[in-house]
Amino acid sequence: AQKITQTQPGMFVQEKEAVTLDCTYDTSDPSYGLFWYKQPSSGEMIFLIYQGSYDQQNATEGRYSLNFQKARKSANLVISASQLGDSAMYFCAMREGGNNDMRFGAGTRLTVKP
Amino acid sequence: DGGITQSPKYLFRKEGQNVTLSCEQNLNHDAMYWYRQDPGQGLRLIYYSQIVNDFQKGDIAEGYSVSREKKESFPLTVTSAQKNPTAFYLCASSMRAANQPQHFGDGTRLSIL
């Protein structure tokens, strides 16, 4: 069963504006972690930000923040002040406490326009 | 510097041939993973290993094999039974906890001759 859903295959944003990339998840495990990765055209996967299921506050890392709505099972990534270098594929992933594997969504391709 | 090294960067396979993709890490991570990525798609889990001499099948293990004889190494063999092996293969490692991210290598692009 699909556990991570990213409904936006592609998104466009103007340089210097903020953008939100959507991610919903499904789990019955009370302990889990949510991750966002960036994949530039060169192919490497870059870890951006982490949110734990028991964290009371939304995670932030520089220009990245995570809008975590536990009851809705959503973990949207917000990128503020977009830069041309932010153009890439973005993947949401989940790791459940009882498992050691990680499941990825299908990804969202973000294009930043000058 | 600590990290994950995948080799080769590009690999070509002939019909009926087995090929092995290398993955080495010096991060002292217990868990290692192999993913397949097709163009424009997400990552699909092939195999993962939590400790030496132990590994589990992921969602698309058919046609692949792995070994974990050393903590640092987790090679993936793409066998001739894998009829559509052309893809981008990513290796990752992590500590064994739900709050730990996976760290990835730079990937291997496998093509059929």
Side-chain angles (χ1 to χ4, degrees):
Chain A
Q2 180 68 31
K3 291 194 171 185
I4 297 286
T5 303
Q6 295 180 253
T7 58
Q8 306 154 313
M11 288 282 286
F12 292 88
V13 64
Q14 206 67 34
E15 193 178 8
K16 300 181 184 177
E17 292 185 350
V19 63
T20 298
L21 306 183
D22 294 341
C23 173
T24 59
Y25 60 92
D26 182 31
T27 181
S28 57
D29 194 328
S31 175
Y32 54 90
L34 297 158
F35 304 81
W36 277 91
Y37 286 85
K38 172 184 178 181
Q39 187 180 41
S41 58
S42 51
E44 74 269 29
M45 294 285 283
I46 303 167
F47 167 64
L48 297 177
I49 194 167
Y50 161 80
Q51 180 83 46
S53 59
Y54 295 117
D55 292 345
Q56 295 297 312
Q57 303 214 350
N58 287 342
T60 60
E61 288 287 346
R63 294 187 298 112
Y64 304 109
S65 61
L66 209 152
N67 183 2
F68 181 47
Q69 299 187 43
K70 194 170 183 177
R72 295 186 177 184
K73 294 188 175 179
S74 73
N76 299 339
L77 176 70
V78 180
I79 304 175
S80 63
S82 295
Q83 302 171 356
L84 295 178
D86 293 336
S87 293
M89 282 289 287
Y90 288 82
F91 292 98
C92 179
M94 179 176 66
R95 192 170 186 180
E96 294 169 314
N99 298 323
N100 202 45
D101 59 350
M102 185 178 287
R103 301 297 172 171
F104 287 79
T108 295
R109 181 171 297 281
L110 176 66
T111 302
V112 180
K113 295 182 173 181
Chain B
D1 287 347
I4 301 176
T5 302
Q6 288 188 243
S7 62
K9 192 173 179 71
Y10 299 94
L11 187 59
F12 298 92
R13 194 191 90 169
K14 295 180 180 179
E15 292 287 342
Q17 185 182 43
N18 294 352
V19 292
T20 297
L21 284 60
S22 171
C23 179
E24 304 277 335
Q25 56 99 0
N26 60 5
L27 299 168
N28 200 32
H29 286 165
D30 291 314
M32 296 188 73
Y33 311 81
W34 275 106
Y35 293 93
R36 169 179 172 143
Q37 187 178 30
D38 292 286
Q41 304 295 315
L43 279 65
R44 291 186 291 168
L45 183 64
I46 304 173
Y47 269 99
Y48 66 101
S49 168
Q50 299 186 53
I51 56 173
V52 174
N53 292 323
D54 185 55
F55 47 82
Q56 287 79 40
K57 292 182 179 180
D59 298 325
I60 55 166
E62 186 174 351
Y64 300 96
S65 66
V66 293
S67 63
R68 187 87 187 276
E69 298 177 1
K70 299 187 299 181
K71 187 176 184 178
E72 302 79 19
S73 178
F74 192 41
L76 174 74
T77 297
V78 183
T79 74
S80 57
Q82 173 50 246
K83 298 306 178 186
N84 184 22
T86 297
F88 185 53
Y89 291 87
L90 284 160
C91 178
S93 71
S94 75
M95 298 301 289
R96 289 194 298 160
N99 65 347
Q100 295 299 308
Q102 292 184 354
H103 300 263
F104 285 81
D106 289 341
T108 293
R109 293 191 186 276
L110 176 62
S111 301
I112 294 294
L113 284 178

